[in-house]
């Protein structure tokens, strides 16, 4: 019955009343958070800190825990899920997004082994896939490992991140790359199939103090429009 009530509440438009009702039913949605209409099914714990945001039309199901820190956000039309077997295992089936971190739109995320997106990091573009669980052919058993995106790191469009993958802090995963569970510690640009270290990166994005990038650069005029996006 609780799952049905939560399903109905999550379909409501964003409001502080909705936040209070969700909290009364066992989720922890801050008064200042924005929780728009989404299909949320069998999620044990859903925590949204002040000013966290989740946009419309996401499917989130089978999770043990979803946690958005202050100013963290999720865009539209994402599929975020975990296999039911992992929902019963502590530390598995979790999605955690740090302060000012964000996931944009139209991504697919298998969080059976858990996904951690660091503070000020971004799963950007569209069409990336996170696959944390697979079959261990040696043991003939299902297995799952967490995927970790370090703080102030950037994942481009249509990437594939496999269970056990870790993107170092202040790094970039180039569009279309495959990040495996290989050991890596160098901060910078990772690209290719599988992703390999290419070069160091730098830029204002890595030192910003708010998550969203709102300025618009106009190449043919070589000028930037503040807050134009």
């Amino acid at each position: 019955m609780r799952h049905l009530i939560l399903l109905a509440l999550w379909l409501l438009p964003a409001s502080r009343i909705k936040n209070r009702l969700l909290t009364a039913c066992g989720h922890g949605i801050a008064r200042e958070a924005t929780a728009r209409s989404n299909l949320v099914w069998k999620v044990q714990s859903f925590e949204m800190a002040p000013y966290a945001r989740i946009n419309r039309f996401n499917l989130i199901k089978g999770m043990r825990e979803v946690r958005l820190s202050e100013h963290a956000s999720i865009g539209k039309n994402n599929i975020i899920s975990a296999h039911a077997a992992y929902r019963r295992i502590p530390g598995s089936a979790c999605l955690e997004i740090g302060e000012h971190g964000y996931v944009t739109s139209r991504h697919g995320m298998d969080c059976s082994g858990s996904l951690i997106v660091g503070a000020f990091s971004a799963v950007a573009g569209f069409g990336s896939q996170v696959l944390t669980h697979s079959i261990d052919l040696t043991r003939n058993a299902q297995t799952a490992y967490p995927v970790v995106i370090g703080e102030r790191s950037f994942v481009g469009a249509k990437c594939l991140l496999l269970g056990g993958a870790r993107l170092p802090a202040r790094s970039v995963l180039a569009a279309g790359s495959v990040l495996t569970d290989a050991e890596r510690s160098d901060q910078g640009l990772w690209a290719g199939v599988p992703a390999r270290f290419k070069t160091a990166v730098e830029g204002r994005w890595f030192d910003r103090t708010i998550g969203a990038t709102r300025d618009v650069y106009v190449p043919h005029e070589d000028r930037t429009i503040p807050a134009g996006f």
Side-chain angles (χ1 to χ4, degrees):
M1 180 61 73
R2 175 177 179 265
H3 290 307
L4 290 174
I5 293 172
L6 286 168
L7 174 67
L9 291 176
W10 271 104
L11 289 171
L12 296 174
S15 70
R16 289 182 175 177
I17 293 175
K18 175 180 179 178
N19 293 1
R20 289 200 296 269
L21 291 172
L22 286 169
T23 300
C25 290
H27 287 177
I29 312 300
R31 181 174 178 268
E32 302 88 351
T34 301
R36 301 195 184 280
S37 301
N38 290 279
L39 188 59
V40 178
W41 179 242
K42 291 190 175 181
V43 174
Q44 292 183 15
S45 174
F46 205 124
E47 305 286 332
M48 294 182 67
Y51 311 108
R53 298 176 59 87
I54 179 169
N55 219 320
R56 301 177 180 87
F57 312 136
N58 296 287
L59 170 60
I60 305 174
K61 65 184 183 74
M63 300 288 291
R64 183 181 181 88
E65 182 178 9
V66 177
R67 185 188 311 141
L68 276 66
S69 301
E70 289 191 17
H71 298 280
S73 66
I74 297 175
K76 299 179 181 179
N77 300 311
N78 296 290
I79 299 176
I80 301 169
S81 64
H83 192 279
Y86 292 98
R87 194 169 67 244
R88 300 188 290 269
I89 302 174
S92 297
C94 298
L95 169 63
E96 178 181 337
I97 303 179
E99 293 183 3
H100 291 277
Y102 61 89
V103 172
T104 57
S105 301
R106 289 176 284 168
H107 300 292
M109 298 181 171
D110 157 41
C111 296
S112 298
S114 294
L115 170 62
I116 299 172
V117 179
F120 288 92
S121 289
V123 180
F126 63 90
S128 286
Q129 298 285 322
V130 176
L131 299 175
T132 63
H133 93 280
S134 62
I135 295 176
D136 185 322
L137 300 179
T138 301
R139 295 179 175 86
N140 187 29
Q142 298 284 346
T143 186
Y145 297 95
V147 169
V148 179
I149 298 169
E151 293 185 359
R152 297 182 181 273
S153 288
F154 183 94
V155 177
K158 295 190 175 182
C159 290
L160 174 61
L161 293 85
L162 300 178
R166 292 176 179 266
L167 183 64
R170 302 179 70 90
S171 293
V172 175
L173 183 62
S177 298
V178 176
L179 195 67
T180 66
D181 63 352
E183 290 290 331
R184 57 183 61 82
S185 59
D186 292 328
Q187 296 181 352
L189 174 64
W190 291 81
V193 182
R196 300 185 185 280
F197 180 76
K198 299 297 182 180
T199 186
V201 293
E202 60 182 21
R204 295 178 181 176
W205 188 88
F206 297 99
D207 297 306
R208 70 202 195 285
T209 56
I210 59 172
T213 300
R214 301 299 185 193
D215 294 351
V216 175
Y217 176 66
V218 184
H220 64 277
E221 298 179 3
D222 192 25
R223 70 184 182 98
T224 300
I225 303 172
F229 194 78

mmCIF file with all atom_site columns, all heavy atoms in Angstrom, residues 74-86:
data_model
loop_
_atom_site.group_PDB
_atom_site.id
_atom_site.type_symbol
_atom_site.label_atom_id
_atom_site.label_alt_id
_atom_site.label_comp_id
_atom_site.label_asym_id
_atom_site.label_entity_id
_atom_site.label_seq_id
_atom_site.pdbx_PDB_ins_code
_atom_site.Cartn_x
_atom_site.Cartn_y
_atom_site.Cartn_z
_atom_site.occupancy
_atom_site.B_iso_or_equiv
_atom_site.pdbx_formal_charge
_atom_site.auth_seq_id
_atom_site.auth_comp_id
_atom_site.auth_asym_id
_atom_site.auth_atom_id
_atom_site.pdbx_PDB_model_num
ATOM 1  N N   . ILE A 1 74 ? 18.459 16.438 -11.354 1.00 0.00 ? 74 ILE A N   1
ATOM 2  C CA  . ILE A 1 74 ? 18.249 15.411 -12.366 1.00 0.00 ? 74 ILE A CA  1
ATOM 3  C C   . ILE A 1 74 ? 17.314 16.003 -13.413 1.00 0.00 ? 74 ILE A C   1
ATOM 4  O O   . ILE A 1 74 ? 16.301 16.619 -13.073 1.00 0.00 ? 74 ILE A O   1
ATOM 5  C CB  . ILE A 1 74 ? 17.632 14.138 -11.764 1.00 0.00 ? 74 ILE A CB  1
ATOM 6  C CG1 . ILE A 1 74 ? 18.593 13.506 -10.740 1.00 0.00 ? 74 ILE A CG1 1
ATOM 7  C CG2 . ILE A 1 74 ? 17.290 13.125 -12.852 1.00 0.00 ? 74 ILE A CG2 1
ATOM 8  C CD1 . ILE A 1 74 ? 18.004 12.310 -10.000 1.00 0.00 ? 74 ILE A CD1 1
ATOM 9  N N   . GLY A 1 75 ? 17.658 15.813 -14.707 1.00 0.00 ? 75 GLY A N   1
ATOM 10 C CA  . GLY A 1 75 ? 16.856 16.367 -15.787 1.00 0.00 ? 75 GLY A CA  1
ATOM 11 C C   . GLY A 1 75 ? 15.617 15.543 -16.101 1.00 0.00 ? 75 GLY A C   1
ATOM 12 O O   . GLY A 1 75 ? 14.956 15.021 -15.196 1.00 0.00 ? 75 GLY A O   1
ATOM 13 N N   . LYS A 1 76 ? 15.311 15.385 -17.397 1.00 0.00 ? 76 LYS A N   1
ATOM 14 C CA  . LYS A 1 76 ? 14.088 14.714 -17.835 1.00 0.00 ? 76 LYS A CA  1
ATOM 15 C C   . LYS A 1 76 ? 14.391 13.368 -18.500 1.00 0.00 ? 76 LYS A C   1
ATOM 16 O O   . LYS A 1 76 ? 15.474 13.142 -19.020 1.00 0.00 ? 76 LYS A O   1
ATOM 17 C CB  . LYS A 1 76 ? 13.339 15.575 -18.853 1.00 0.00 ? 76 LYS A CB  1
ATOM 18 C CG  . LYS A 1 76 ? 12.884 16.929 -18.364 1.00 0.00 ? 76 LYS A CG  1
ATOM 19 C CD  . LYS A 1 76 ? 12.179 17.670 -19.497 1.00 0.00 ? 76 LYS A CD  1
ATOM 20 C CE  . LYS A 1 76 ? 11.725 19.037 -19.079 1.00 0.00 ? 76 LYS A CE  1
ATOM 21 N NZ  . LYS A 1 76 ? 11.064 19.777 -20.199 1.00 0.00 ? 76 LYS A NZ  1
ATOM 22 N N   . ASN A 1 77 ? 13.378 12.516 -18.490 1.00 0.00 ? 77 ASN A N   1
ATOM 23 C CA  . ASN A 1 77 ? 13.356 11.297 -19.312 1.00 0.00 ? 77 ASN A CA  1
ATOM 24 C C   . ASN A 1 77 ? 14.544 10.365 -19.069 1.00 0.00 ? 77 ASN A C   1
ATOM 25 O O   . ASN A 1 77 ? 15.041 9.721  -19.986 1.00 0.00 ? 77 ASN A O   1
ATOM 26 C CB  . ASN A 1 77 ? 13.295 11.666 -20.803 1.00 0.00 ? 77 ASN A CB  1
ATOM 27 C CG  . ASN A 1 77 ? 12.065 12.479 -21.142 1.00 0.00 ? 77 ASN A CG  1
ATOM 28 O OD1 . ASN A 1 77 ? 10.956 12.122 -20.766 1.00 0.00 ? 77 ASN A OD1 1
ATOM 29 N ND2 . ASN A 1 77 ? 12.266 13.588 -21.839 1.00 0.00 ? 77 ASN A ND2 1
ATOM 30 N N   . ASN A 1 78 ? 15.000 10.296 -17.841 1.00 0.00 ? 78 ASN A N   1
ATOM 31 C CA  . ASN A 1 78 ? 16.028 9.334  -17.481 1.00 0.00 ? 78 ASN A CA  1
ATOM 32 C C   . ASN A 1 78 ? 15.384 8.055  -16.948 1.00 0.00 ? 78 ASN A C   1
ATOM 33 O O   . ASN A 1 78 ? 14.292 8.089  -16.376 1.00 0.00 ? 78 ASN A O   1
ATOM 34 C CB  . ASN A 1 78 ? 16.945 9.919  -16.398 1.00 0.00 ? 78 ASN A CB  1
ATOM 35 C CG  . ASN A 1 78 ? 17.721 11.122 -16.894 1.00 0.00 ? 78 ASN A CG  1
ATOM 36 O OD1 . ASN A 1 78 ? 18.608 10.997 -17.723 1.00 0.00 ? 78 ASN A OD1 1
ATOM 37 N ND2 . ASN A 1 78 ? 17.384 12.300 -16.380 1.00 0.00 ? 78 ASN A ND2 1
ATOM 38 N N   . ILE A 1 79 ? 16.067 6.937  -17.136 1.00 0.00 ? 79 ILE A N   1
ATOM 39 C CA  . ILE A 1 79 ? 15.649 5.665  -16.533 1.00 0.00 ? 79 ILE A CA  1
ATOM 40 C C   . ILE A 1 79 ? 16.706 5.291  -15.503 1.00 0.00 ? 79 ILE A C   1
ATOM 41 O O   . ILE A 1 79 ? 17.868 5.049  -15.844 1.00 0.00 ? 79 ILE A O   1
ATOM 42 C CB  . ILE A 1 79 ? 15.493 4.561  -17.581 1.00 0.00 ? 79 ILE A CB  1
ATOM 43 C CG1 . ILE A 1 79 ? 14.417 4.944  -18.601 1.00 0.00 ? 79 ILE A CG1 1
ATOM 44 C CG2 . ILE A 1 79 ? 15.138 3.237  -16.906 1.00 0.00 ? 79 ILE A CG2 1
ATOM 45 C CD1 . ILE A 1 79 ? 14.259 3.947  -19.729 1.00 0.00 ? 79 ILE A CD1 1
ATOM 46 N N   . ILE A 1 80 ? 16.298 5.268  -14.242 1.00 0.00 ? 80 ILE A N   1
ATOM 47 C CA  . ILE A 1 80 ? 17.204 4.995  -13.127 1.00 0.00 ? 80 ILE A CA  1
ATOM 48 C C   . ILE A 1 80 ? 16.631 3.805  -12.369 1.00 0.00 ? 80 ILE A C   1
ATOM 49 O O   . ILE A 1 80 ? 15.525 3.872  -11.843 1.00 0.00 ? 80 ILE A O   1
ATOM 50 C CB  . ILE A 1 80 ? 17.314 6.226  -12.201 1.00 0.00 ? 80 ILE A CB  1
ATOM 51 C CG1 . ILE A 1 80 ? 17.838 7.430  -13.001 1.00 0.00 ? 80 ILE A CG1 1
ATOM 52 C CG2 . ILE A 1 80 ? 18.209 5.930  -11.007 1.00 0.00 ? 80 ILE A CG2 1
ATOM 53 C CD1 . ILE A 1 80 ? 17.732 8.749  -12.272 1.00 0.00 ? 80 ILE A CD1 1
ATOM 54 N N   . SER A 1 81 ? 17.389 2.701  -12.321 1.00 0.00 ? 81 SER A N   1
ATOM 55 C CA  . SER A 1 81 ? 16.804 1.486  -11.761 1.00 0.00 ? 81 SER A CA  1
ATOM 56 C C   . SER A 1 81 ? 17.877 0.602  -11.147 1.00 0.00 ? 81 SER A C   1
ATOM 57 O O   . SER A 1 81 ? 19.074 0.813  -11.329 1.00 0.00 ? 81 SER A O   1
ATOM 58 C CB  . SER A 1 81 ? 16.060 0.706  -12.847 1.00 0.00 ? 81 SER A CB  1
ATOM 59 O OG  . SER A 1 81 ? 16.964 0.259  -13.848 1.00 0.00 ? 81 SER A OG  1
ATOM 60 N N   . ALA A 1 82 ? 17.406 -0.402 -10.410 1.00 0.00 ? 82 ALA A N   1
ATOM 61 C CA  . ALA A 1 82 ? 18.281 -1.432 -9.848  1.00 0.00 ? 82 ALA A CA  1
ATOM 62 C C   . ALA A 1 82 ? 17.501 -2.734 -9.820  1.00 0.00 ? 82 ALA A C   1
ATOM 63 O O   . ALA A 1 82 ? 16.270 -2.738 -9.673  1.00 0.00 ? 82 ALA A O   1
ATOM 64 C CB  . ALA A 1 82 ? 18.742 -1.056 -8.446  1.00 0.00 ? 82 ALA A CB  1
ATOM 65 N N   . HIS A 1 83 ? 18.221 -3.848 -9.964  1.00 0.00 ? 83 HIS A N   1
ATOM 66 C CA  . HIS A 1 83 ? 17.566 -5.148 -9.870  1.00 0.00 ? 83 HIS A CA  1
ATOM 67 C C   . HIS A 1 83 ? 17.103 -5.382 -8.437  1.00 0.00 ? 83 HIS A C   1
ATOM 68 O O   . HIS A 1 83 ? 17.783 -5.004 -7.474  1.00 0.00 ? 83 HIS A O   1
ATOM 69 C CB  . HIS A 1 83 ? 18.517 -6.263 -10.303 1.00 0.00 ? 83 HIS A CB  1
ATOM 70 C CG  . HIS A 1 83 ? 17.838 -7.572 -10.507 1.00 0.00 ? 83 HIS A CG  1
ATOM 71 N ND1 . HIS A 1 83 ? 17.521 -8.408 -9.458  1.00 0.00 ? 83 HIS A ND1 1
ATOM 72 C CD2 . HIS A 1 83 ? 17.403 -8.197 -11.638 1.00 0.00 ? 83 HIS A CD2 1
ATOM 73 C CE1 . HIS A 1 83 ? 16.930 -9.491 -9.915  1.00 0.00 ? 83 HIS A CE1 1
ATOM 74 N NE2 . HIS A 1 83 ? 16.848 -9.384 -11.243 1.00 0.00 ? 83 HIS A NE2 1
ATOM 75 N N   . ALA A 1 84 ? 15.947 -6.011 -8.294  1.00 0.00 ? 84 ALA A N   1
ATOM 76 C CA  . ALA A 1 84 ? 15.360 -6.218 -6.968  1.00 0.00 ? 84 ALA A CA  1
ATOM 77 C C   . ALA A 1 84 ? 16.288 -6.953 -6.014  1.00 0.00 ? 84 ALA A C   1
ATOM 78 O O   . ALA A 1 84 ? 16.271 -6.714 -4.801  1.00 0.00 ? 84 ALA A O   1
ATOM 79 C CB  . ALA A 1 84 ? 14.039 -6.978 -7.105  1.00 0.00 ? 84 ALA A CB  1
ATOM 80 N N   . ALA A 1 85 ? 17.130 -7.850 -6.533  1.00 0.00 ? 85 ALA A N   1
ATOM 81 C CA  . ALA A 1 85 ? 18.037 -8.610 -5.662  1.00 0.00 ? 85 ALA A CA  1
ATOM 82 C C   . ALA A 1 85 ? 19.001 -7.704 -4.914  1.00 0.00 ? 85 ALA A C   1
ATOM 83 O O   . ALA A 1 85 ? 19.368 -7.989 -3.767  1.00 0.00 ? 85 ALA A O   1
ATOM 84 C CB  . ALA A 1 85 ? 18.817 -9.634 -6.487  1.00 0.00 ? 85 ALA A CB  1
ATOM 85 N N   . TYR A 1 86 ? 19.394 -6.595 -5.537  1.00 0.00 ? 86 TYR A N   1
ATOM 86 C CA  . TYR A 1 86 ? 20.384 -5.715 -4.922  1.00 0.00 ? 86 TYR A CA  1
ATOM 87 C C   . TYR A 1 86 ? 19.754 -4.709 -3.975  1.00 0.00 ? 86 TYR A C   1
ATOM 88 O O   . TYR A 1 86 ? 20.452 -4.130 -3.126  1.00 0.00 ? 86 TYR A O   1
ATOM 89 C CB  . TYR A 1 86 ? 21.193 -5.005 -6.009  1.00 0.00 ? 86 TYR A CB  1
ATOM 90 C CG  . TYR A 1 86 ? 22.060 -5.977 -6.769  1.00 0.00 ? 86 TYR A CG  1
ATOM 91 C CD1 . TYR A 1 86 ? 21.649 -6.486 -7.998  1.00 0.00 ? 86 TYR A CD1 1
ATOM 92 C CD2 . TYR A 1 86 ? 23.261 -6.427 -6.243  1.00 0.00 ? 86 TYR A CD2 1
ATOM 93 C CE1 . TYR A 1 86 ? 22.428 -7.403 -8.682  1.00 0.00 ? 86 TYR A CE1 1
ATOM 94 C CE2 . TYR A 1 86 ? 24.051 -7.344 -6.927  1.00 0.00 ? 86 TYR A CE2 1
ATOM 95 C CZ  . TYR A 1 86 ? 23.623 -7.830 -8.140  1.00 0.00 ? 86 TYR A CZ  1
ATOM 96 O OH  . TYR A 1 86 ? 24.386 -8.742 -8.805  1.00 0.00 ? 86 TYR A OH  1
#
